[in-house]
Amino acid sequence: MIIDGLGRAYVGDLGFDMPPPPDRGACGRIILVMPDGAARVVAEGLRFPNGIAVSADHRRLVVAEMDGACLADYDIEPNGDLKLRGRFGSMKSPDGICLDQEGAVWVAAFEEDAFIRLDRSGRELQAH
């Protein structure tokens, strides 16, 4: 879950209870909870949505898809809805993420025992 600077919470729903079933597939989603408590689904078809990051200007949201081994990149509409721009990157088990001032994404890929920095096209800029 992440709360943007406008007080909206974006909550990842894995689509199953733990422990995960062996055939879990792409059933995850993102639920938007508004400051007044109203909630709605704003993204579906995610493969184990894990880390979520929002840009400082509230116009971009990135989700780590743990089972998808990639990141899902969204534009945030003024009302909080999400529009999928696409998927990028390739890493094993992306987990926690954040965006830096240059718009690059830092990803904790725990199966690779690394922190990876990617630009918006998915090009690896750094790994530690």
Side-chain angles (χ1 to χ4, degrees), residues 65-85:
E65 289 189 78
M66 192 170 212
D67 285 352
C70 67
L71 305 175
D73 195 11
Y74 293 91
D75 288 325
I76 301 175
E77 302 292 325
N79 68 354
D81 286 346
L82 300 178
K83 180 179 178 186
L84 182 64
R85 293 180 55 96

Side-chain angles (χ1 to χ4, degrees), residues 64-119:
E65 289 189 78
M66 192 170 212
D67 285 352
C70 67
L71 305 175
D73 195 11
Y74 293 91
D75 288 325
I76 301 175
E77 302 292 325
N79 68 354
D81 286 346
L82 300 178
K83 180 179 178 186
L84 182 64
R85 293 180 55 96
R87 289 180 165 84
F88 68 100
S90 177
M91 71 284 304
K92 292 180 183 176
S93 300
D95 195 356
I97 65 172
C98 69
L99 296 170
D100 66 21
Q101 291 179 339
E102 297 171 7
V105 182
W106 283 93
V107 182
F110 73 84
E111 282 189 47
E112 296 182 37
D113 196 27
F115 294 102
I116 302 168
R117 183 175 183 242
L118 304 166
D119 68 12

Side-chain angles (χ1 to χ4, degrees), residues 7 11 25 31 40 45 51 57 59 62-63 66 72 81 86 114 120-122 124:
V11 181
I31 299 166
R40 66 182 185 277
D57 65 3
R59 296 176 62 194
V62 181
V63 179
M66 192 170 212
D81 286 346
R120 199 166 189 157
S121 70
E124 187 175 305

